Amino acid sequence: MKLLGLHHVTAIASDARLNAAFYTNVLGLRLIKKTVNFDDPSTYHLYYGDHVGTPGSVLTFFPWAGLRRGRPGTGQAYATSFSVAADTLPFWEQRLHAHGVALKPIATRFGESVLTFTDTDGLILELVATSAPDPRTPWAHPEIAQAHGIRGFHGVTLALPEATRTHGLLTASMGYRQIAAEGLRTRLTVGDGAPGTFVDLLVDPSLPRGLQGGGTVHHVAFRTPDDAAQSVALEEVRALGLNASPVMDRNYFHSIYYREPEGILFEIATDAPGFAIDEPVESLGGKLMLPPQYEPQRAEIEASLPKLS
Ligand code: ZN
């Protein structure tokens, strides 16, 4: 199958307001889409990314009010990492500290510096300072110089009880290739191997089994260029004996879902049509966007959702 890297990561939050404030004000991402969970229109589906929501920059949340915290661990996408320019971590340390974010000491991983912290729900995030070329433009934020800004994903870390089967699926069927191994971690990439493509497999015996809840990742989506490539991927996933969903229309992309052998939910999403399909780029995220089936209930839905600002 033809995959280009990561498309988006979707995680679970417990408070929409705190979530939006953290990702837009503190991290400086753009709220690019304010919609509802298509399977549960009483909750938001919030999307954050760069100025147009380029695939590979998009972190999304289902904020379920009052939801209990999950437990990060094996069988989950354990950490989500963003690409920032080399030598920008001192800026981020200072900024995050000033916002009361607890930070781990900067670590080195595969020769790059990594700053680890969590969001307001305990979701594990990392900033990876990389000198690898990354032409993606960060969203403009008044307090974050463009040279310091988040450019999109660097990669995700999948925590696994053992890596063999997941490694096999990614490399034999999903087009990934191993490029490095260090300690408990194996790094895979796909396509051009640029930031936004990496998947690290982490086998750390000290990690508990993950439990889904607030502050954990719900699924990881991979990019495929178009519907034709997605059809091929669907056939291939089914031929492996994995239980794949039919193609779902997610308005901004088309998706299929399946679980990899250790239980992590994977999605393959098309690059098109993108987030400008229902509102202009200049005003992305400004208004609650509903899919046609929920438009008749707009007043009721709007009244039930918390105001974000
Ligand atoms: Zn998704």
Side-chain angles (χ1 to χ4, degrees):
M1 68 182 72
K2 184 172 174 64
L3 300 182
L4 306 171
L6 298 171
H7 187 286
H8 63 272
V9 172
T10 294
I12 304 170
S14 65
D15 185 311
R17 273 193 206 100
L18 290 176
N19 182 260
F22 182 82
Y23 286 94
T24 60
N25 299 346
V26 181
L27 293 190
L29 302 181
R30 184 180 192 189
L31 175 63
I32 50 162
K33 193 63 64 182
K34 190 163 59 172
T35 182
V36 292
N37 183 338
F38 287 10
D39 302 318
D40 172 12
S42 67
T43 58
Y44 276 123
H45 192 180
L46 302 177
Y47 291 72
Y48 307 99
D50 66 9
H51 63 301
V52 290
T54 307
S57 76
V58 180
L59 180 57
T60 95
F61 287 89
F62 298 132
W64 277 297
L67 186 75
R68 127 191 116 98
R69 268 202 184 185
R71 182 173 70 199
T74 62
Q76 287 178 343
Y78 182 71
T80 303
S81 63
F82 294 101
S83 163
V84 294
D87 305 320
T88 58
L89 292 190
F91 164 81
W92 281 105
E93 270 188 315
Q94 198 174 17
R95 177 172 178 79
L96 292 168
H97 180 73
H99 281 90
V101 178
L103 302 168
K104 291 208 171 155
I106 291 174
T108 302
R109 181 187 300 160
F110 300 118
E112 294 172 332
S113 296
V114 181
L115 179 61
T116 301
F117 54 97
T118 57
D119 77 358
T120 46
D121 281 294
L123 185 73
I124 300 172
L125 302 171
E126 298 167 334
L127 297 178
V128 179
T130 179
S131 51
D134 189 342
R136 299 174 295 176
T137 308
W139 173 239
H141 182 289
E143 296 164 5
I144 304 170
Q146 202 148 62
H148 291 150
I150 288 176
R151 304 182 291 198
F153 291 132
H154 185 268
V156 292
T157 295
L158 309 182
L160 302 165
E162 63 94 34
T164 315
R165 295 191 299 168
T166 306
H167 191 287
L169 172 68
L170 283 160
T171 57
S173 305
M174 294 178 63
Y176 269 78
R177 58 188 183 273
Q178 181 175 328
I179 49 166
E182 180 182 271
L184 307 173
R185 188 179 288 270
T186 304
R187 176 158 293 177
L188 310 179
T189 190
V190 72
D192 63 7
T197 63
F198 302 116
V199 173
D200 285 4
L201 307 183
L202 175 67
V203 180
D204 180 347
S206 72
L207 288 179
R209 180 82 197 165
L211 282 179
Q212 198 164 88
T216 62
V217 170
H218 187 270
H219 63 264
V220 174
F222 297 89
R223 289 176 62 193
T224 199
D226 52 35
D227 292 323
Q230 185 177 56
S231 297
V232 172
L234 180 56
E235 291 305 311
E236 288 179 18
V237 170
R238 287 188 168 153
L240 294 169
L242 297 173
N243 184 17
S245 76
V247 175
M248 321 270 260
D249 183 356
R250 296 314 197 185
N251 240 6
Y252 313 108
F253 40 85
H254 304 145
S255 299
I256 62 169
Y257 302 85
Y258 55 99
R259 288 196 187 274
E260 60 80 45
E262 303 301 341
I264 301 172
L265 186 59
F266 280 1
E267 172 180 346
I268 294 179
T270 54
D271 276 4
F275 295 96
I277 189 177
D278 58 357
E279 56 186 336
V281 168
E282 312 81 66
S283 54
L284 283 178
K287 178 172 177 246
L288 181 71
M289 303 310 298
L290 295 174
Q293 69 268 32
Y294 295 133
E295 204 52 67
Q297 300 164 53
R298 172 174 283 277
E300 193 184 319
I301 290 171
E302 280 185 338
S304 73
L305 293 167
K307 297 280 168 283
L308 294 185
S309 50

